[in-house]
Amino acid sequence: MDLVTARVGLVVLIDFEVVKISNLQRQIIHTTGVLDRPKVESARDRLRALNPDTNIELINERLDDAGLDDAISGVDVVIDGTDNFTTRFAVNRACFRQRKPLVSGAAIRFEGQVSVYHPGREDSPCYQCLY
């Protein structure tokens, strides 16, 4: 939400799931009024309410490696907040192949971490280097 209020020009949202009641405590962009809607549509509507000038593209499907490459080819930075290692490693591979900066965030209970990886720089490890 902060990127949209900061007037970022393009945001690409990728998710293939629908909003569930179990998501709401950690995915605060959604509300009970949008249960069972695709997450990308719910998020788009909320973000457009914050800034209608931001271009928001939706990808409402599970992506394989080739799909991830296509999806991130036109962006400047990738932000990953997924909740499983399989997806995190796949996103990392795509960023590594395309030399895209990756901001990776994770939280569990009352702890969280954020890391930034920039595979285009010689001195930057990637997500898989750490894990």
Side-chain angles (χ1 to χ4, degrees), residues 71-126:
I72 71 169
S73 65
V75 303
D76 296 322
V77 64
V78 174
I79 301 173
D80 175 24
T82 57
D83 60 3
N84 68 77
F85 284 111
T86 301
T87 303
R88 287 181 176 277
F89 285 129
V91 170
N92 176 72
R93 285 192 304 273
C95 289
F96 188 84
R97 283 190 298 269
Q98 294 195 34
R99 302 282 197 229
K100 300 281 183 176
L102 170 61
V103 179
S104 178
I108 186 166
R109 295 181 194 87
F110 296 105
E111 295 182 21
Q113 69 178 31
V114 174
S115 300
V116 179
Y117 308 97
H118 197 303
R121 295 179 44 148
E122 290 181 22
D123 62 343
S124 179
C126 69

Side-chain angles (χ1 to χ4, degrees), residues 11-82:
V11 174
V12 179
L13 302 174
I14 304 170
D15 203 320
F16 62 93
E17 295 181 337
V18 297
V19 178
K20 298 175 187 168
I21 194 78
S22 60
N23 300 138
L24 299 183
Q25 85 280 5
R26 67 184 187 285
Q27 296 175 6
I28 60 172
I29 198 166
H30 307 295
T31 65
T32 56
V34 297
L35 294 176
D36 298 321
R37 281 192 66 204
K39 287 181 182 180
V40 291
E41 292 177 10
S42 168
R44 176 203 54 212
D45 293 349
R46 184 83 179 267
L47 295 174
R48 279 198 178 141
L50 292 171
N51 179 4
D53 296 328
T54 296
N55 183 17
I56 302 172
E57 294 180 9
L58 306 182
I59 300 174
N60 187 15
E61 61 185 275
R62 183 187 299 254
L63 299 178
D64 59 10
D65 282 350
L68 281 169
D69 282 340
D70 288 343
I72 71 169
S73 65
V75 303
D76 296 322
V77 64
V78 174
I79 301 173
D80 175 24
T82 57

